[in-house]
Amino acid sequence: MLGITDFWTYVIGTLAIILLPGPNSIFVLSVGARLGVRAGYRAAAGVFLGDTVLMVLSAAGAASLLRTYPPLFLIIKYAGAAYLLWVGFGIVRGGWRKWRSRGEPSPPPAPPPATDARSPFRRAAVISLLNPKAILFFVSFFIQFVEPGYAHPALSFLVLGAVVQLFSALYLSALIFGGRFLAGQFQRRRRLAAGAAAGVGALFVGFSIKLATASVG
């Protein structure tokens, strides 16, 4: 069908992969909880853009390029790890500030700064683009399900990409609205909010370490 082999196997595998926790989904969840639904969807749009670029690179044969030029892979790997580490420490600092102020009366809620409301899109896109394991995964996964010799491989990649983006949109939407529920709980329990922020930051630090030890193979 449209140059795709084992379509339903691909669908099931994609669904399982989308549901695995990763820096993109954790970031969207945290943005939805902190800044609201609109900002959460800005972050989700950044994920969609980053994933689209990765899929285009996959269709263009990025894996061969990375294997041919190992220094390029090292640059992408360490840049991605450093960025995730920076994001993680930023979230941990925010959680620490909440913990130190847990005994103080809660201030009235204020609208987030305009810069905070805009930055989720950019940060989510960068998190997606600087994830070398995601690049390699998209490449190897797509190649397995495109029929060799099909006359219009671009159409095959388009269908496969649409499946990924559909599942991603549904999953990220659930995370965004779930984040708003968690935000209501955090507003009443500042100690819980501080602990959750520290946990999310620690996850990003773990993601950065995992990326720093990734190999091109």
Side-chain angles (χ1 to χ4, degrees):
M1 182 180 70
L2 300 177
I4 300 172
T5 61
D6 299 323
F7 177 76
W8 292 111
T9 301
Y10 170 79
V11 169
I12 295 172
T14 299
L15 179 60
I17 292 162
I18 291 292
L19 293 177
L20 289 175
N24 291 343
S25 58
I26 298 298
F27 181 73
V28 171
L29 175 64
S30 65
V31 168
R34 291 185 298 109
L35 301 178
V37 172
R38 182 174 297 182
Y41 274 108
R42 288 197 183 99
V47 173
F48 298 150
L49 174 62
D51 286 350
T52 299
V53 172
L54 294 181
M55 285 185 277
V56 171
L57 292 174
S58 300
S64 299
L65 179 63
L66 293 176
R67 290 189 176 96
T68 304
Y69 300 100
L72 177 61
F73 174 77
L74 291 177
I75 292 173
I76 296 174
K77 179 175 74 170
Y78 290 124
Y83 186 76
L84 290 180
L85 187 66
W86 177 74
V87 171
F89 276 124
I91 297 175
V92 169
R93 283 198 305 269
W96 175 247
R97 286 195 296 267
K98 288 186 188 327
W99 178 263
R100 293 185 61 184
S101 63
R102 67 189 184 280
E104 302 173 2
S106 300
T115 53
D116 287 347
R118 287 194 302 265
S119 62
F121 174 83
R122 182 179 66 252
R123 296 179 73 182
V126 173
I127 287 173
S128 296
L129 291 172
L130 293 181
N131 189 337
K133 292 199 74 173
I135 295 174
L136 297 179
F137 165 77
F138 273 121
V139 172
S140 61
F141 196 66
F142 278 8
I143 290 176
Q144 292 179 27
F145 294 94
V146 176
E147 180 181 342
Y150 183 64
H152 306 286
L155 181 59
S156 305
F157 285 116
L158 181 62
V159 173
L160 296 177
V163 171
V164 173
Q165 298 290 42
L166 174 62
F167 285 147
S168 180
L170 294 174
Y171 180 52
L172 293 180
S173 293
L175 292 179
I176 290 168
F177 287 101
R180 289 311 298 155
F181 171 78
L182 292 176
Q185 302 298 315
F186 292 158
Q187 287 177 357
R188 294 189 294 271
R189 300 175 178 85
R190 302 183 71 181
R191 182 175 297 182
L192 177 62
V200 170
L203 281 176
F204 272 90
V205 173
F207 288 138
S208 71
I209 296 173
K210 187 175 182 180
L211 294 185
T213 58
S215 65
V216 74

